[in-house]
Amino acid sequence: MKSFQDLGLSKELVEAIHQLGFETPTPIQEQGIPVLLKGTTDLVGLAQTGTGKTAAFGLPLVQLLDDNDRSTQALVVAPTRELSVQITSDLERFAKGVKNFNIVTIYGGASISEQIRKVRKGAQIIVATPGRLIDMLDRKVVNLSTIKYVVLDEADEMLNMGFKEDIDSILSTTPDTKNVWLFSATMPREVREIAKNYMSNPVELTMGERNQGNENIDHQYIVIDERDKYLALKRIVDYTPDIFGVIFCRTKIDTQKVAEHLMKDGYNADSLHGDLTQQQRDRVMSSFKNKTLQLLVATDVAARGIDVSGITHVIHMNMPDEMEFYTHRSGRTARAGKKGISLAIVSKREVSRINQIERSLKRKFTKILIPTGDEVCQQKLLDLVHKIKKVEVNDEEIDSFLPDVYHELKELSKEDIIKRFASIEFNRFLEYYRDAKDLNRNDRSDRAPRLYADDDRSEGGYGNGDRVFINVGKMDGLDKGTLLGLILDFSEVKKDKIGKIDLKGAYSFFEVEKDVTADIMKAFEGVELRGRKVRLELTNGDPGERREGTEPKRERPWSPSGGARSGGRSGGRSGGGERRESRTPRGRY
Ligand code: AMP
């Protein structure tokens, strides 16, 4: 393995790199830097994000450019503002103490006059997003006629975002003598075309196999009902207290919603998407970078190219349509040789997408299970214990306060103190997860019972539910409310134990928490409605609805007129033939 000295970089630059903590070059740096330092070559670098490509082009730029010449010598074009800002900051770090460049970032959404002012002061390097750069070129603020090097970073992404024409017109205003260095995670036809049209005999470097992601990323997925995705996300976060992650959503609205829900539920989260002002975006990014923000919920475009060290998890709230998007998303983690997890929360419909991406990446995804409520609680407790073990005790300061504390606690045993101390934090989770249902879905079968009432999205609502068939329905004059009343009156279970009610013609289904199923079944033993025996059956494992017409035979033929005998439409349970003795119905049926 080569060292930075072996690559042809100046002594000062090597020193600056070491100061940044880079000890050995990454493969793209090892192969790219010597080629680029020649200063006469075009280059196509097929490299994933996180491979160190910014330094691969940034270090040669710093070495090759003349800081005494005030003209614009290099242009770096990148798809997003965040990436442009990132590149500028990297270039400044590389040049620090070595050369004194004026590097200007140009991007939309921020004051153009301020950017114009900076360019006019003499920008030797311009880092720009395509749209704003075109604007500046039109205003004749930027002059690209003296450009020696053009870097196109994340070229595939710029083309995906529809910047093809902008890139063409930018490149056409640069002199023929320039060199173009193009970096791309993937090599679609459009990127090839740019290489063909604007480069001569480019050196091609491919880092790893095409589309093959970073080896340090552990790709995982969980299968979940679409409507449970948010609950699953919360469990993952609760189960992983040290998580520092980016959560990707497909749309701005979803991004905003997920972030708002997380914030409302007490998580340290914020959103990043194109509808925010530049100031808002800068604020979010800066708190994420300095790790005061733990969860960044973002759209693909907004989070493109962001380089924040130490991201432990990338979570996909849904699968992107484009393979490249998945690569770019997951590339936010496992940067600079670290390990990271890319976790897709998918509905059964999206499982086939996982299979496609597996084939394309040639990497196996591991299916994992959402932790149960108990597991989350256990993990939280352990985390608390670890924190207690690790906490730094300031003996000097705390000693004088302790006698009173010891006195207060003297009645309690050590075990009691531990229990109480742990409970301070733990009770909140226990309360929340006490009856939490198993969220996992089997991706091969869709037959598991649906456990939530339509409007009940709260955790723990109908955990461990049963689905019960009852041989009464609309034809008995019932609606959902009256059927619910019937069940509650007879069984005397609490309303919140009953889930979704599915009212059919001559029969219905209702969902119920397992711990009261037996009570309900028993409560209806011997009950008759309008002379007809009410019958309940557990349908778990076969929620596939009995189709109309396949209802089990009634105990006794029933006709609407039969109701008259039992007190008409509302007199069912108290009417003729009712054998219940203990409770009198309230006449709603
Ligand atoms: P990039 O692919 O340019 O976005 O870089 C990914 C991350 O790797 C950045 O955080 C860089 O600071 C870091 N990095 C780049 N080169 C090296 C190196 N040779 N050694 C250690 N870290 C590096």
Side-chain angles (χ1 to χ4, degrees):
M1 192 189 284
K2 286 191 177 158
S3 68
F4 279 110
Q5 280 98 317
D6 304 327
L7 305 182
L9 293 166
S10 72
K11 240 172 86 193
E12 297 94 315
L13 209 40
V14 171
E15 223 157 82
I17 299 162
H18 285 150
Q19 299 246 321
L20 293 177
F22 296 5
E23 275 156 26
T24 45
T26 65
I28 184 93
Q29 291 161 2
E30 185 174 328
Q31 295 178 45
I33 290 173
V35 174
L36 297 182
L37 280 177
K38 287 186 196 151
T40 52
T41 333
D42 289 338
L43 177 115
V44 173
L46 197 54
Q48 306 290 326
T49 105
T51 50
K53 61 187 162 62
T54 316
F57 68 76
L59 295 170
L61 279 186
V62 172
Q63 181 146 326
L64 291 167
L65 302 187
D66 180 358
D67 56 348
N68 294 316
D69 176 354
R70 302 306 289 172
S71 67
T72 304
Q73 300 161 55
L75 169 70
V76 183
V77 191
T80 63
R81 319 173 233 210
E82 278 72 22
L83 185 55
S84 307
V85 170
Q86 181 73 50
I87 293 170
T88 303
S89 127
D90 282 353
L91 293 175
E92 280 166 351
R93 290 193 308 152
F94 303 149
K96 193 166 171 218
V98 181
K99 284 188 181 170
N100 192 13
F101 289 122
N102 186 23
I103 307 172
V104 177
T105 328
I106 292 177
Y107 49 87
S111 154
I112 196 164
S113 47
E114 179 63 15
Q115 291 174 3
I116 291 174
R117 196 183 56 76
K118 286 187 179 156
V119 173
R120 290 221 164 111
K121 272 172 65 187
Q124 288 127 327
I125 306 176
I126 288 177
V127 185
T129 54
R132 178 56 70 90
L133 179 60
I134 293 280
D135 197 349
M136 298 282 237
L137 287 169
D138 289 348
R139 291 169 188 241
K140 308 237 177 309
V141 177
V142 171
N143 172 9
L144 297 182
S145 67
T146 50
I147 286 285
K148 295 192 173 105
Y149 305 100
V150 175
V151 181
L152 300 175
D153 198 13
E154 304 211 345
D156 52 348
E157 187 43 29
M158 290 199 275
L159 296 169
N160 274 339
M161 290 167 73
F163 288 135
K164 168 92 177 71
E165 274 179 30
D166 288 354
I167 289 172
D168 281 336
S169 68
I170 291 165
L171 287 172
S172 63
T173 56
T174 55
D176 291 344
T177 49
K178 63 160 188 295
N179 285 129
V180 179
W181 305 344
L182 178 150
F183 292 86
S184 191
T186 57
M187 192 49 70
R189 187 178 44 81
E190 295 87 344
V191 175
R192 284 250 159 258
E193 266 170 24
I194 291 195
K196 205 173 93 206
N197 295 342
Y198 298 101
M199 299 186 191
S200 56
N201 298 323
V203 171
E204 286 202 22
L205 298 178
T206 303
M207 297 298 118
E209 253 183 88
R210 256 173 220 194
N211 270 345
Q212 194 170 18
N214 179 338
E215 286 291 322
N216 286 331
I217 302 174
D218 182 3
H219 298 272
Q220 304 179 346
Y221 72 105
I222 55 171
V223 184
I224 205 95
D225 273 343
E226 185 67 37
R227 62 187 166 176
D228 287 338
K229 282 186 170 182
Y230 178 68
L231 294 182
L233 172 67
K234 284 209 310 185
R235 278 204 201 169
I236 292 159
V237 174
D238 286 342
Y239 191 72
T240 325
D242 292 329
I243 192 169
F244 176 53
V246 186
I247 299 160
F248 279 98
C249 299
R250 221 197 285 248
T251 64
K252 291 175 202 167
I253 292 173
D254 284 352
T255 305
Q256 189 71 36
K257 255 204 232 159
V258 169
E260 275 170 10
H261 273 88
L262 284 171
M263 286 188 260
K264 199 165 75 69
D265 289 339
Y267 296 88
N268 179 5
D270 213 335
S271 61
L272 184 76
H273 56 73
D275 282 353
L276 303 179
T277 64
Q278 186 59 35
Q279 259 176 339
Q280 288 171 317
R281 293 167 64 139
D282 289 347
R283 184 186 50 73
V284 172
M285 270 319 289
S286 106
S287 48
F288 190 56
K289 270 190 188 156
N290 64 32
K291 301 198 168 43
T292 47
L293 178 66
Q294 191 183 11
L295 300 168
L296 178 73
V297 191
T299 54
D300 286 289
V301 172
R304 183 53 58 110
I306 59 168
D307 176 27
V308 175
S309 64
I311 291 175
T312 60
H313 287 69
V314 166
I315 297 179
H316 313 258
M317 291 302 280
N318 38 41
M319 292 307 283
D321 293 331
E322 307 282 332
M323 177 63 213
E324 284 95 322
F325 278 34
Y326 182 82
T327 309
H328 281 285
R329 284 179 175 191
S330 53
R332 298 309 104 214
T333 186
R335 296 176 78 78
K338 293 199 181 126
K339 292 204 180 302
I341 290 173
S342 170
L343 172 64
I345 302 181
V346 296
S347 63
K348 281 177 41 191
R349 212 165 29 83
E350 293 171 299
V351 172
S352 60
R353 191 75 194 109
I354 296 278
N355 302 334
Q356 285 166 2
I357 293 179
E358 274 185 332
R359 281 195 295 277
S360 174
L361 279 181
K362 298 202 178 69
R363 295 282 303 277
K364 201 86 197 118
F365 279 52
T366 318
K367 183 178 174 190
I368 60 156
L369 295 175
I370 285 285
T372 62
D374 278 355
E375 283 165 342
V376 174
C377 289
Q378 177 70 14
Q379 186 69 15
K380 275 278 161 194
L381 199 52
L382 281 177
D383 182 53
L384 184 68
V385 172
H386 289 149
K387 275 193 193 133
I388 293 172
K389 273 175 81 177
K390 274 201 308 202
V391 73
E392 238 175 73
V393 177
N394 186 337
D395 289 314
E396 245 171 61
E397 305 260 340
I398 202 168
D399 274 355
S400 62
F401 295 94
L402 288 178
D404 282 352
V405 177
Y406 292 142
H407 180 73
E408 235 358 86
L409 298 175
K410 72 175 186 305
E411 307 288 315
L412 299 175
S413 67
K414 178 181 158 194
E415 284 72 25
D416 260 342
I417 294 176
I418 294 175
K419 249 190 265 175
R420 280 159 197 256
F421 196 64
S423 296
I424 292 175
E425 162 103 5
F426 185 57
N427 282 353
R428 192 165 63 89
F429 278 94
L430 201 59
E431 182 65 30
Y432 180 75
Y433 280 113
R434 181 171 287 127
D435 298 317
K437 69 168 180 165
D438 181 3
L439 297 177
N440 292 293
R441 291 300 305 268
N442 185 341
D443 43 347
R444 268 159 293 150
S445 148
D446 200 7
R447 312 282 289 172
R450 291 158 69 89
L451 297 176
Y452 276 109
D454 285 342
D455 58 349
D456 186 348
R457 306 291 310 251
S458 64
E459 181 81 71
Y462 304 102
N464 302 318
D466 280 322
R467 184 174 170 86
V468 178
F469 163 85
I470 183 166
N471 66 333
V472 294
K474 283 183 203 155
M475 282 165 63
D476 301 276
L478 295 172
D479 58 27
K480 283 189 186 179
T482 46
L483 178 55
L484 177 65
L486 180 80
I487 298 163
L488 298 181
D489 278 359
F490 271 97
S491 64
E492 290 184 339
V493 300
K494 285 205 186 121
K495 190 174 167 200
D496 62 1
K497 294 281 182 185
I498 311 295
K500 185 178 173 182
I501 292 180
D502 199 355
L503 199 73
K504 305 281 183 195
Y507 60 93
S508 307
F509 296 90
F510 62 92
E511 292 170 352
V512 56
E513 280 197 27
K514 271 191 196 310
D515 58 347
V516 295
T517 309
D519 293 346
I520 292 180
M521 307 283 274
K522 193 154 176 31
F524 277 94
E525 272 173 21
V527 171
E528 287 186 11
L529 179 61
R530 298 175 186 177
R532 179 157 60 96
K533 220 177 187 173
V534 175
R535 200 165 44 72
L536 273 62
E537 262 179 45
L538 205 56
T539 66
N540 287 3
D542 180 24
E545 328 281 27
R546 287 167 204 275
R547 261 165 280 120
E548 302 278 353
T550 61
E551 181 201 354
K553 279 228 171 328
R554 294 201 183 102
E555 300 286 334
R556 226 167 86 183
W558 176 87
S559 70
S561 60
R565 282 199 305 137
S566 53
R569 184 175 167 265
S570 66
R573 287 177 359 210
S574 57
E578 181 179 354
R579 283 190 260 138
R580 288 184 62 86
E581 290 120 27
S582 54
R583 279 163 283 146
T584 39
R586 289 174 214 140
R588 280 180 291 146
Y589 317 105

